[in-house]
Amino acid sequence: MTVNRVGLVVHGGRGEAVAAARAVREWCDEHAVGCTDIDVWQQGERHSAREEMDTAGDPDLIVTLGGDGTFLRGARLAAENDALVLGVDLGRVGFLTEVPAPAVRAALDAILQDRINVESRMLLTMRASCRLEVPAHMEEVLSYGRGPLLPPPRVRVDCEAGGDWGVALNIFALNDVVLEKLARDRQVSVGVYLAGRLLASYSADALLVATPTGSTAYSFAAGGPVVSPRAEGLVFTPVAPHMVFNRSVVAAPDEPVALRVLERSGQAAVSVDGQLRGVLSPGDWIGVYAAPRRLKAVRLGPTDFYGRLRERMNLTDAPAALADGTAAPLWPVSTPPPGDLAHLALPPVPGDTRPPT
């Protein structure tokens, strides 16, 4: 696979990430591949994904060095250009990153030699009743000391606008879009519409729409379901709703989720993959739906999502189950599947050295 230019997204606060970045730059020098640091805000300002990619020379591979938060920064950039993204794992509870830091050179070799899988992940995009902006007097309070805010999202001029359908925003979310209260002592009141029909009006701390990828992030912490990243769908989850119905709803990928701030509600903040992008007032709305574009994530082999779920969430077995006899084996089978099961997505048998199909 040809790689002409690499865009580096580095967690500058971690020494191991800075060291891994040096290894990537050395690899790029050895292979005559351009390399540019990207999404850097030491000067106190951030830029749109389009501006970042243009300045970096349109890299066709984004390498992130950090945890899942750093990967989300890289995904924002990769989605803009339909570039590949490789996550180097330096985090604590990573579901998105792929390789440990010592293996980054081997991973880059594998990409160059086309010995990789490219995993397609659903992204979210959105429309809104108005352009999203953060009022100047709120920026310092709402950024929570986590660095400068991203600029307001651009309006997509290639899409129709106006009427009941608002404006199309140039937004891609890999994890989630969240509408949350601004005042600690006042919940946000929101009418929630699924596939164009009112589901219910909620009073809650927040309401979020997640992808299957994002089901293990904020949605999971709020009590939402764990969804395989291979699945397709939108996961709507209310956060601390003041009502009896507090369940998540999983919608089909072609069923949009709209959130309308009601008349007597306070203002609400809109976050995209954890980044504050705007503030809505009563009467404003956002519509979240599956983006036509997908994220292309580099994988060096089949992803053992459920093994990673057990490991990263520190799942333990029920004492009563263990007391009943022998513990369940981690791998229930030790032989290849029979022909009538060959179409199923199953992890490779431990010790099986055959390449995955």
Side-chain angles (χ1 to χ4, degrees):
M1 181 176 293
T2 302
V3 178
N4 296 311
R5 179 168 289 275
V6 170
L8 268 183
V9 181
V10 184
H11 190 308
R14 294 187 178 174
E16 61 268 40
V18 174
R22 284 196 296 268
V24 174
R25 295 189 192 98
E26 291 170 0
W27 183 93
C28 289
D29 287 342
E30 294 168 10
H31 294 82
V33 172
C35 185
T36 305
D37 282 59
I38 192 169
D39 197 27
V40 179
W41 61 80
Q42 279 86 348
Q43 304 305 316
E45 185 178 358
R46 300 185 73 183
H47 303 280
S48 71
R50 181 69 273 151
E51 291 170 330
E52 292 274 10
M53 295 299 277
D54 288 345
T55 302
D58 287 329
D60 41 24
L61 172 65
I62 303 294
V63 178
T64 72
L65 303 160
D68 279 0
T70 308
F71 186 90
L72 290 173
R73 286 169 51 197
R76 176 181 74 92
L77 303 167
E80 182 70 24
N81 244 35
D82 204 27
L84 293 174
V85 58
L86 169 69
V88 179
D89 186 11
L90 295 160
R92 299 180 182 88
V93 191
F95 276 91
L96 302 174
T97 48
E98 173 68 2
V99 298
V104 64
R105 288 181 63 95
L108 293 170
D109 288 338
I111 293 172
L112 201 61
Q113 297 162 14
D114 206 11
R115 294 185 288 104
I116 61 170
N117 297 327
V118 178
E119 188 176 71
S120 174
R121 292 283 183 105
M122 173 188 282
L123 296 167
L124 300 177
T125 190
M126 59 191 292
R127 283 183 174 244
S129 57
C130 56
R131 296 192 64 160
L132 290 184
E133 294 182 340
V134 179
H137 67 280
M138 290 187 177
E139 284 194 21
E140 184 175 350
V141 175
L142 296 179
S143 65
Y144 303 111
R146 297 179 67 88
L149 299 178
L150 286 165
R154 293 180 293 116
V155 172
R156 291 183 56 194
V157 296
D158 59 319
C159 297
E160 295 182 26
D164 293 332
W165 303 100
V167 294
L169 299 176
N170 193 65
I171 284 222
F172 295 106
L174 177 61
N175 266 0
D176 49 42
V177 174
V178 180
L179 188 67
E180 56 190 324
K181 68 180 185 180
L182 284 177
R184 184 177 181 183
D185 62 345
R186 186 176 188 181
Q187 291 190 311
V188 64
S189 297
V190 178
V192 177
Y193 298 79
L194 268 70
R197 178 65 181 266
L198 179 67
L199 174 67
S201 294
Y202 286 76
S203 179
D205 283 357
L207 303 115
L208 63 90
V209 183
T211 64
T213 297
S215 71
T216 53
Y218 190 6
S219 179
F220 175 82
V226 173
V227 182
S228 167
R230 293 168 54 87
E232 297 288 302
L234 281 69
V235 182
F236 163 71
T237 301
V239 181
H242 200 265
M243 59 192 296
V244 173
F245 185 73
N246 62 354
R247 306 295 184 182
S248 296
V249 177
V250 181
D254 59 352
E255 294 177 332
V257 181
L259 309 173
R260 182 183 294 273
V261 184
L262 299 180
E263 178 185 357
R264 296 186 180 277
S265 174
Q267 288 183 304
V270 178
S271 297
V272 178
D273 281 348
Q275 299 288 315
L276 179 67
R277 303 308 304 271
V279 173
L280 298 184
S281 297
D284 293 335
W285 58 264
I286 59 173
V288 183
Y289 51 99
R293 186 171 296 179
R294 313 275 296 190
L295 184 74
K296 299 193 300 188
V298 173
R299 296 292 183 237
L300 301 185
T303 300
D304 181 14
F305 172 71
Y306 300 105
R308 183 172 291 191
L309 178 68
R310 178 181 174 88
E311 174 192 344
R312 296 300 170 95
M313 293 299 183
N314 228 356
L315 300 185
T316 56
D317 304 313
L322 297 180
D324 287 341
T326 305
L330 283 178
W331 302 91
V333 296
S334 57
T335 57
D340 62 313
L341 302 182
H343 65 290
L344 299 180
L346 298 169
V349 175
D352 188 352
T353 58
R354 295 175 300 170
T357 57

